[in-house]
């Protein structure tokens, strides 16, 4: 009997490891749509970069990008590995129709500024080698801080691709620590004028984000698992939504979406189908009309 149980456990382990190996392979490679429609508008032509959070890897956005490809929404055109010196290893080819680019940092625990420099290296590569003119940015957790660090630097430069749409998911815009999870969770209430207390990260962006062009549209996603801190288990809703006070934009250009329940946990937000749906509709507003056509 013991031998049978051990054999079953061994088989179960082999199955689990095998499935993880398959996912590891799929999540780190380009995947293209079976049919390649021609771009019908600027949203179809824009390149979308996906930036992982602290300690992120190919699993961070690998599942979401694969689901987008399977659903026929967009192409996972490129996978870009950014090494410790911000040199790039690029896999795949850029599609003309809804190209998505997965960023993976060889040092996923690097500081915000270093990762932002890595994003800039990717953007310069796309501009030089692929002649990219318009792009979107999607980021999870600390990746959202990296994203805006890139944007504040890009605002000082000329001839970089235009950023059309920005998505942030569970990003700590009013935390003292934006990478490593800390306890207790920082939860500073929001008033009509902003947070009751602010952190250096918030104050930095309060000074710098006013440089951004007022043509960018934003979707800001937060998770609430219903805990005492009203958080996703790592980032408080109030910290994520404090972004609304930092942007030089109108209400029509800024959207918020709060996910509730157990699948609103910080590490599950990019595996949440409601998050998938909202991001896809935000990046490609014509999706509803396509399905009805």
């Amino acid at each position: 009997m013991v031998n049978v149980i051990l054999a079953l456990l061994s088989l179960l382990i082999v199955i689990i490891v095998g499935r993880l190996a398959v996912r590891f392979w799929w999540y780190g490679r380009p995947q293209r749509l079976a049919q390649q429609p021609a771009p019908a508008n600027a949203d179809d032509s824009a390149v979308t970069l996906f930036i992982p959070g602290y300690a992120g890897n190919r699993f961070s956005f690998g599942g979401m990008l694969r689901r987008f490809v399977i659903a026929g929404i967009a192409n996972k055109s490129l996978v870009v590995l950014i090494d410790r010196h911000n040199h790039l290893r690029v896999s795949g080819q850029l599609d003309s129709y809804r190209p998505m680019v997965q960023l993976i940092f060889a040092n996923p625990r690097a500081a915000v500024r270093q990762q932002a420099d890595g994003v800039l290296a990717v953007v310069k590569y796309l501009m030089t080698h692929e002649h990219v003119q318009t792009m979107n940015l999607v980021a999870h957790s600390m990746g959202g801080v990296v994203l805006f660090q890139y944007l504040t630097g890009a605002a000082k430069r000329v001839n970089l691709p235009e950023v059309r749409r920005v998505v942030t998911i569970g990003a700590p815009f009013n935390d003292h620590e934006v990478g490593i999870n800390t306890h207790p969770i920082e939860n500073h209430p929001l008033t009509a004028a902003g947070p009751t207390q602010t952190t250096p990260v918030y104050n930095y962006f309060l000074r710098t984000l006013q440089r951004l062009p007022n043509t960018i549209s934003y979707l800001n996603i937060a998770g609430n698992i219903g805990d005492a801190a009203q958080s996703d288990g790592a980032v408080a809703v109030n910290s994520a939504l404090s972004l609304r006070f930092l942007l030089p934009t109108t209400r029509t250009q800024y959207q918020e979406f709060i996910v509730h329940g157990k699948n609103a946990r910080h590490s599950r937000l990019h595996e949440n189908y409601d998050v998938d749906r909202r991001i896809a509709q935000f990046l490609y507003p014509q999706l509803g009309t396509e399905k009805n056509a």
Side-chain angles (χ1 to χ4, degrees), residues 33 35-39 75 96-97:
L33 297 173
Q35 296 182 342
Q36 293 290 330
N75 285 289
S96 62
Y97 179 77

Side-chain angles (χ1 to χ4, degrees), residues 238-259:
N238 283 333
S239 180
L241 299 190
S242 63
L243 178 64
R244 73 167 74 128
F245 302 99
L246 299 172
L247 297 172
T249 185
T250 65
R251 281 294 180 185
T252 59
Q253 293 172 286
Y254 175 78
Q255 304 174 34
E256 293 175 346
F257 177 53
I258 301 177
V259 187

Side-chain angles (χ1 to χ4, degrees), residues 201-255:
V201 171
Y202 181 93
N203 294 332
Y204 170 76
F205 283 139
L206 190 62
R207 297 190 306 270
T208 58
L209 292 192
Q210 299 306 310
R211 304 172 186 163
L212 301 186
N214 58 9
T215 54
I216 303 174
S217 295
Y218 303 89
L219 171 62
N220 187 20
I221 299 173
N224 189 347
I225 59 175
D227 60 342
Q230 296 296 289
S231 75
D232 60 15
V235 177
V237 171
N238 283 333
S239 180
L241 299 190
S242 63
L243 178 64
R244 73 167 74 128
F245 302 99
L246 299 172
L247 297 172
T249 185
T250 65
R251 281 294 180 185
T252 59
Q253 293 172 286
Y254 175 78
Q255 304 174 34

Side-chain angles (χ1 to χ4, degrees), residues 148-194:
F148 281 105
Q149 180 68 52
Y150 162 76
L151 286 179
T152 58
K156 302 176 186 178
R157 297 172 176 266
V158 295
N159 299 326
L160 288 180
E162 173 195 3
V163 175
R164 294 172 53 82
R165 300 179 188 273
V166 164
V167 181
T168 48
I169 310 167
F173 294 113
N174 196 26
D175 280 24
H176 282 85
E177 174 55 66
V178 299
I180 301 171
N181 293 341
T182 57
H183 295 281
I185 293 170
E186 293 188 67
N187 182 21
H188 305 302
L190 301 180
T191 69

